[in-house]
């Protein structure tokens, strides 16, 4: 395992310490969360975690959790999540995030809003002085409206790209049947103002700005684990 993967695994395993028996656990999406799923499965198997149930944030995570025999539930059965573990694409010093690199931002935000505690796991490459410096903002739009929303984000000085499958001349379809625009806004001066403008559009289902949602960010750095907590 290369150094970066080792760091991701360390952060993910540290986050799993937040989970106690009997909890409802939100299961995020991505290559860092994968290591958290592995650890949860291991603790269930050896009897150290009992009676936990997970709510997956994507079909991809649902499949992995099934394969690893992590018991799953739905919002029909549980409307509150004790702790969600998820990844992020960019993290600023206020613990605001850009998420959606894996295309699961809509369900991920639903889980985040339903969680008593959102714990983010990442390696240090995700830390950023200001959101937008390193990553475009993924925006989930309904298919019908996508050309209009591409024009709309241009009026906010964004440069949109319709997300396409690698090696396929087809747009990515999300778990909820929508398209994703990756919009480069450059460094975002006021993410709250931008979020509110995006939320005013009927054709925009959700955006990847996760503001004031993370309670804890666990970052594995070369020199060790660093934990940032919401003040
Ligand atoms: C998926 C996400 C992921 O959590 C984010 O892209 C980080 O993924 P990774 O841990 O693979 O870098 O937001 O929609």
């Amino acid at each position: 395992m290369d150094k970066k993967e080792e760091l991701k695994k360390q952060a993910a395993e540290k986050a799993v310490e937040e989970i106690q028996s009997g909890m409802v656990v939100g299961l995020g999406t991505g290559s860092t969360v994968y290591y958290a799923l592995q650890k949860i499965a291991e603790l269930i198997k050896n009897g150290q975690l009992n009676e936990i149930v997970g709510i997956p944030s994507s079909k991809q995570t649902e499949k992995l959790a099934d394969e690893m025999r992590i018991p799953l539930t739905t919002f029909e059965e549980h409307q509150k999540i004790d702790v969600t573990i998820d990844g992020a694409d960019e993290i600023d010093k206020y613990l605001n995030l850009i998420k959606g690199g894996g295309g699961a931002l809509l369900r991920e935000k639903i889980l985040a809003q339903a969680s008593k505690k959102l714990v983010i796991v990442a390696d240090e490459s995700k830390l950023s002085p200001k959101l937008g410096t390193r990553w475009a903002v993924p925006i989930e739009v309904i298919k019908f409206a996508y050309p209009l929303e591409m024009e709309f984000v241009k009026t906010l000085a964004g440069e949109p790209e319709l997300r396409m499958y690698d090696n396929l001349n087809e747009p990515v379809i999300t778990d909820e049947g929508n398209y994703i625009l990756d919009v480069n806004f450059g460094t975002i001066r006021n993410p709250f103002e931008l979020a509110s403008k995006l939320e005013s559009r009927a054709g925009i289902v959700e955006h990847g700005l996760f503001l004031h949602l993370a309670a804890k960010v666990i970052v594995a750095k070369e020199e060790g684990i660093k934990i940032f907590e919401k003040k």
Side-chain angles (χ1 to χ4, degrees):
M1 187 181 288
D2 72 20
K3 188 72 198 165
K4 189 169 176 181
E5 290 305 305
E6 184 52 47
L7 293 175
K8 286 158 62 171
K9 187 164 183 273
Q10 277 175 30
E13 293 189 350
K14 183 77 188 159
V16 172
E17 291 176 14
E18 301 278 335
I19 303 173
Q20 289 166 17
S21 292
M23 280 187 166
V24 179
V25 182
L27 305 172
T29 297
S31 58
T32 316
V33 165
Y34 176 81
Y35 295 114
L37 298 176
Q38 271 191 333
K39 188 69 189 175
I40 293 168
E42 179 192 316
L43 295 177
I44 292 173
K45 196 168 173 204
N46 67 22
Q48 285 176 265
L49 268 185
N50 298 299
E51 291 174 22
I52 71 139
V53 282
I55 300 190
S57 60
S58 60
K59 290 182 181 163
Q60 180 196 325
T61 295
E62 183 175 354
K63 184 167 178 285
L64 285 170
D66 272 340
E67 286 166 6
M68 294 181 191
R69 298 182 194 281
I70 298 171
L72 296 179
T73 186
T74 65
F75 285 122
E76 279 161 356
E77 282 161 22
H78 295 94
Q79 290 81 47
K80 205 76 212 157
I81 295 175
D82 293 297
V83 60
T84 288
I85 299 176
D86 205 348
D89 301 303
E90 196 167 342
I91 306 166
D92 76 7
K93 61 181 176 204
Y94 306 107
L95 313 193
N96 292 323
L97 319 166
I98 293 179
K99 283 186 50 54
L105 63 141
L106 175 56
R107 290 194 188 183
E108 287 173 335
K109 199 174 275 187
I110 291 168
L111 262 66
Q113 291 177 345
S115 299
K116 292 182 199 156
K117 189 167 191 182
L118 173 63
V119 179
I120 295 296
V121 289
D123 66 88
E124 61 188 322
S125 69
K126 305 293 181 66
L127 297 176
S128 161
K130 264 190 184 297
L131 297 183
T133 311
R134 312 182 53 255
W135 202 266
V137 179
I139 299 181
E140 184 156 345
V141 294
I142 65 165
K143 288 179 190 171
F144 175 73
Y146 91 88
L148 301 180
E149 302 316 332
M150 287 183 93
E151 290 309 308
F152 172 70
V153 295
K154 285 183 196 165
T155 69
L156 305 177
E159 290 168 17
E161 256 185 48
L162 181 61
R163 192 180 292 185
M164 307 292 278
Y165 288 110
D166 289 342
N167 311 320
L168 266 184
N169 197 23
E170 281 173 26
V172 166
I173 309 284
T174 68
D175 285 350
E176 298 299 327
N178 300 308
Y179 285 167
I180 292 186
L181 305 179
D182 288 300
V183 188
N184 181 359
F185 290 100
T187 299
I188 301 169
R189 199 177 39 85
N190 186 338
F192 290 89
E193 190 179 68
L194 176 60
S196 135
K197 286 181 177 158
L198 296 172
E199 284 156 19
S200 73
R201 295 288 295 186
I204 292 180
V205 184
E206 196 45 83
H207 56 76
L209 293 167
F210 282 50
L211 309 177
H212 286 174
L213 282 170
K216 195 182 243 194
V217 173
I218 301 178
V219 181
K221 298 178 148 217
E222 293 257 2
E223 58 274 21
I225 295 274
K226 181 117 190 131
I227 297 180
F228 302 89
E229 290 196 74
K230 189 159 90 181
K231 295 202 178 89

